Amino acid sequence: MDTEAVAKELRETHRKVFGQDATGAFSAPGRVNLIGEHTDYAGGFVMPAAIDFATVCTVSPREDDRYEVYSANFDEHAAFTRDTLPAKSRQSWSDYPFGVLHVLREEGMEIPGFSMSILGDVPLGAGLSSSASIEVATELALLSLAAKTLPGPEMALLAQRAENSYVGVNTGIMDQFIACCGKRDNALLLDCRSLESKLAPIPPNIDLIICNTMVKHAHAGGEYNTRRAEVEQATAVLSSHRPEIKLLRDATPEDLEQWGHEMPLNVLKRARHIITDSLRAQAAAAALDRGDLRELGKLMGEAHASFRDDFEASCKEADLMVELANKQPGLVGARITGGGFGGCTVNLVEDQHAEAFAGAVAQGYEQQTGIKPDVFRCHASDGAQRVG
Ligand code: ADP
Ligand code: MG
């Protein structure tokens, strides 16, 4: 997205819709996770990158005590007053901005009445976290009204709280963190427990190509809860031997070798995925640091196999998408990304091969499944910022 151009367009929309000039414009990106899947709630490592798809938001204070938001994507309004703001979700897109507003008010911030306009190009519900991008963009706008600034990690925690406790979606910290703290041309190795992070440079000639399988298997929600329960079961077995193991993040492959036989096989396999994927995320960041793309590609391949065979959370469509990618020239690495059971794959591809890659994978996938996939060509981008 050309955020400057979109912000300009949105300022005009804002003027038409509210009859006021916006006093500020803010943007926050979507994201893709390159490696480290389901490691977040185990306190482990993930390595996402912010992408050049974003949500932009313009805002102006009002004389009255109304909170008015307008989504240009939906051409819809929602409004409350300072006294009528609901305390929880109404199952609407406006839960996201109002959830953030609610959390900031809980933090004691005085936020005057405002008019807000929102326009984004992060595809909704495709697994690229349009939700974190709308939360963080609106958070920056609301903070500006309260004349406050917060460090990125603190902003991320508040946006996560809005999503968890207001919208009612139980997500880790990754999406909001990268939406706040992403850096152009870099992925970020994030320690999901300490929230320490470190940049991992992506060479400028490498494109991030995201292929959407367009499937989300209906059992995904139930399986997600099963996986979390299995992970807890594995953690309990290991910490009965080594009490310092509070989360799987604290366990090593050697711990599993020693005590894994005390677990049902499925539990052992889930734990093995998480423990090794967290290590792979760290190794991948080190590989990027030394510019070792061959090693990065190998780690992504292993991560996909681990997610498919040990975590058993891939699906035949995502496996096919990765197989097709593996046959293309210019591929550095490919794997399924996101929660699993459908969704997207992420592919690192040399830019001179990117167009041919996107065409060949899309064509092969459509031939074999009858489904036309969405393919997004992205670059690692900066996190949330004021525009203009
Ligand atoms: P994802 O985060 O993978 O895109 P989610 O279901 O978590 O999927 O979040 C998508 C929801 O976020 C949308 O259905 C909508 O409610 C809200 N949203 C995101 N961007 C916008 C926008 N520009 N305008 C209005 N609502 C938006
Ligand atoms: Mg989301």
Side-chain angles (χ1 to χ4, degrees):
M1 167 191 272
D2 178 347
T3 39
E4 301 272 341
V6 173
K8 195 164 166 239
E9 178 191 334
L10 191 61
R11 279 176 182 278
E12 269 162 39
T13 305
H14 192 96
R15 197 174 302 128
K16 274 191 211 131
V17 170
F18 294 111
Q20 288 177 315
D21 282 331
T23 50
F26 305 85
S27 77
R31 64 95 186 92
V32 63
N33 189 24
L34 304 187
I35 195 163
E37 215 66 77
H38 281 258
T39 49
D40 54 352
Y41 53 81
F45 288 86
V46 294
M47 195 176 78
I51 56 177
D52 40 356
F53 288 78
T55 305
V56 175
C57 153
T58 52
V59 75
S60 53
R62 298 172 62 96
E63 300 288 324
D64 58 20
D65 67 350
R66 288 172 68 77
Y67 297 137
E68 294 216 11
V69 297
Y70 170 73
S71 166
N73 292 76
F74 292 139
D75 188 21
E76 271 178 34
H77 281 268
F80 292 102
T81 66
R82 287 162 70 113
D83 297 330
T84 60
L85 183 71
K88 63 180 179 39
S89 157
R90 292 151 301 109
Q91 310 291 324
S92 153
W93 62 267
S94 63
D95 290 343
Y96 293 91
F98 287 136
V100 171
L101 171 63
H102 186 76
V103 164
L104 295 183
R105 290 199 347 173
E106 278 177 346
E107 289 296 294
M109 282 183 210
E110 265 304 315
I111 299 184
F114 61 81
S115 303
M116 176 185 279
S117 309
I118 298 165
L119 175 61
D121 71 349
V122 186
L124 308 186
L128 303 184
S129 208
S130 69
S131 57
S133 88
I134 187 175
E135 286 154 14
V136 172
T138 56
E139 183 177 10
L140 266 186
L142 295 176
L143 288 172
S144 82
L145 289 176
K148 289 253 191 278
T149 53
L150 290 176
E154 268 175 55
M155 280 204 344
L157 284 167
L158 293 175
Q160 183 201 13
R161 199 165 104 202
E163 179 141 357
N164 292 170
S165 67
Y166 193 96
V167 180
V169 179
N170 186 15
T171 56
I173 186 66
M174 172 171 74
D175 300 354
Q176 292 82 9
F177 195 96
I178 189 72
C180 292
C181 305
K183 278 277 171 301
R184 196 185 159 160
D185 297 332
N186 284 271
L188 204 83
L189 179 69
L190 171 64
D191 178 331
C192 292
R193 182 157 58 191
S194 69
L195 296 192
E196 276 166 32
S197 66
K198 195 167 136 306
L199 295 180
I202 299 177
N205 68 323
I206 299 298
D207 283 9
L208 309 178
I209 299 186
I210 299 164
C211 301
N212 191 346
T213 62
M214 315 302 274
V215 301
K216 189 75 200 173
H217 290 288
H219 57 274
E223 293 282 355
Y224 180 85
N225 292 334
T226 311
R227 293 297 176 283
R228 292 207 55 160
E230 289 166 330
V231 168
E232 273 174 32
Q233 211 182 325
T235 312
V237 169
L238 296 180
S239 68
S240 73
H241 297 285
R242 277 217 297 129
E244 62 275 28
I245 298 177
K246 301 274 188 265
L247 290 167
L248 277 190
R249 144 68 181 273
D250 303 310
T252 63
E254 292 71 38
D255 291 325
L256 260 196
E257 240 160 68
Q258 206 170 343
W259 297 302
H261 65 273
E262 295 177 19
M263 304 168 191
L265 183 60
N266 59 318
V267 173
L268 165 67
K269 286 165 71 177
R270 308 307 180 245
R272 188 163 60 202
H273 166 74
I274 288 184
I275 293 169
T276 58
D277 225 36
S278 186
L279 292 170
R280 275 189 292 270
Q282 295 173 74
L288 277 176
D289 232 13
R290 5 175 248 282
D292 187 348
L293 293 183
R294 182 185 290 263
E295 175 67 9
L296 177 68
K298 185 170 151 263
L299 290 162
M300 288 177 74
E302 288 168 10
H304 184 78
S306 169
F307 199 73
R308 179 190 62 209
D309 302 334
D310 270 350
F311 212 63
E312 298 186 81
S314 187
C315 63
K316 62 181 192 320
E317 294 86 354
D319 292 342
L320 170 64
M321 199 75 98
V322 167
E323 261 170 53
L324 290 165
N326 282 330
K327 290 186 192 140
Q328 307 306 319
L331 178 81
V332 172
R335 57 176 282 276
I336 186 173
T337 182
F341 308 104
C344 297
T345 64
V346 58
N347 307 268
L348 270 63
V349 182
E350 291 168 18
D351 57 8
Q352 81 262 29
H353 293 285
E355 209 172 305
F357 176 95
V361 170
Q363 194 186 24
Y365 185 77
E366 190 173 354
Q367 263 166 13
Q368 295 196 41
T369 61
I371 305 169
K372 199 175 168 61
D374 284 339
V375 177
F376 305 102
R377 207 173 145 183
C378 316
H379 282 100
S381 299
D382 281 324
Q385 55 193 313
R386 180 184 272 271
V387 189

